[in-house]
Amino acid sequence: VAEEPAEEPVEEEIPEEEMELMEDPVTSAYPIYIDDGKGEGPEAYTTSTTDVEGGWSFDAATVTLTLNGFNGKSIYAQGNFTLVLNGTNTITMPADLGYAVKSDKNIYVEKTTNSATDILNINVPTSHSVSTNIIFSNYGMTMNGGTINITTAELNTNRTLYATFSDVYLKNDASLNYDITNTNQYAKTVGIFSTLYMQSSADCSFSIFSNFPDSFNIYRFDMKSSGD
């Protein structure tokens, strides 16, 4: 009796939604390290990730980190990145860490809807004990919107402390404010170490108390019209 020919296997069509999940995820060219205070320290991310509980989401394609109810300890990117503020967010710096927000290149800050309510509060506790650039960017920070408030406790540390290290660009209705106190007579305390370029439509409030004679608030100030 002749055997019947075997049936050829039929390839099943994979639904489009599943195909999208099987594709290689977009990967950023460099990692961003986020310490949202939920784990054991900073974690590195190179693919798009959302952490609702942690209050943040990361878009790897544009290297954009959005904070939405973030209550963490630090953020560090090894290249340019955009920081989008949505609602009230907080970073409380660990005592032994020298930055709150850091980039090896540029930081760009954006609001979601309203600069008055899209806020990042950065707090430096009394126990802080290392040399610090609270916002550190090798090339500069540009704020196109949103509000950043930097506040220290009444510190008495012999370590240098800068609010920001490189040039700062305040544009549109962005707002940057800091209130820094260090009573130690041997520690240099500085607000903006470089130049503040500020459009007339932006807002700022700066206060420094220091007993060190070479401390200063802003190295150089350059006011621009709202269109510049």
Side-chain angles (χ1 to χ4, degrees):
V1 179
E3 293 184 3
E4 294 183 8
E7 293 184 5
E8 292 185 10
V10 178
E11 291 187 10
E12 291 186 17
E13 200 171 303
I14 301 174
E16 189 176 333
E17 313 86 68
E18 292 185 23
M19 284 291 291
E20 289 177 0
L21 291 174
M22 292 169 64
E23 292 176 0
D24 290 335
V26 175
T27 302
S28 60
Y30 41 84
I32 186 166
Y33 296 85
I34 303 167
D35 188 346
D36 58 15
K38 307 295 182 185
E40 296 181 356
E43 294 187 46
Y45 297 89
T46 55
T47 58
S48 296
T49 308
T50 297
D51 188 330
V52 175
E53 183 183 357
W56 60 270
S57 61
F58 175 58
D59 183 340
T62 59
V63 196
T64 298
L65 177 65
T66 299
L67 304 184
N68 186 2
F70 185 81
N71 188 10
K73 297 179 178 180
S74 65
I75 297 164
Y76 167 44
Q78 291 186 337
N80 297 327
F81 85 103
T82 299
L83 182 64
V84 178
L85 306 178
N86 187 357
T88 300
N89 305 277
T90 303
I91 292 178
T92 301
M93 293 178 61
D96 58 351
L97 188 66
Y99 64 88
V101 181
K102 179 180 177 181
S103 169
D104 289 346
K105 291 189 176 180
N106 291 287
I107 300 171
Y108 302 95
V109 181
E110 304 283 352
K111 65 183 178 183
T112 299
T113 53
N114 189 327
S115 287
T117 55
D118 293 331
I119 300 167
L120 174 60
N121 295 315
I122 300 176
N123 302 315
V124 184
T126 308
S127 57
H128 202 72
S129 58
V130 296
S131 296
T132 299
N133 293 296
I134 298 172
I135 298 178
F136 180 88
S137 54
N138 272 326
Y139 296 171
M141 177 175 72
T142 300
M143 290 188 65
N144 292 307
T147 294
I148 295 180
N149 301 314
I150 300 172
T151 306
T152 71
E154 187 170 317
L155 303 175
N156 184 5
T157 174
N158 62 356
R159 304 294 184 178
T160 57
L161 190 151
Y162 301 153
T164 65
F165 181 75
S166 297
D167 291 342
V168 175
Y169 302 82
L170 286 183
K171 298 183 174 182
N172 307 314
D173 59 350
S175 179
L176 176 64
N177 313 287
Y178 56 74
D179 187 353
I180 298 173
T181 299
N182 187 5
T183 59
N184 193 290
Q185 62 181 316
Y186 302 108
K188 187 173 184 177
T189 303
V190 174
I192 297 176
F193 184 73
S194 194
T195 302
L196 170 63
Y197 299 92
M198 179 176 168
Q199 290 182 347
S200 56
S201 54
D203 185 47
C204 64
S205 173
F206 303 143
S207 174
I208 281 185
F209 179 86
S210 173
N211 287 319
F212 188 80
D214 290 337
S215 295
F216 61 88
N217 207 328
I218 302 172
Y219 177 75
R220 181 171 173 264
F221 178 73
D222 189 347
M223 176 65 83
K224 305 285 188 180
S225 69
S226 58
D228 294 338

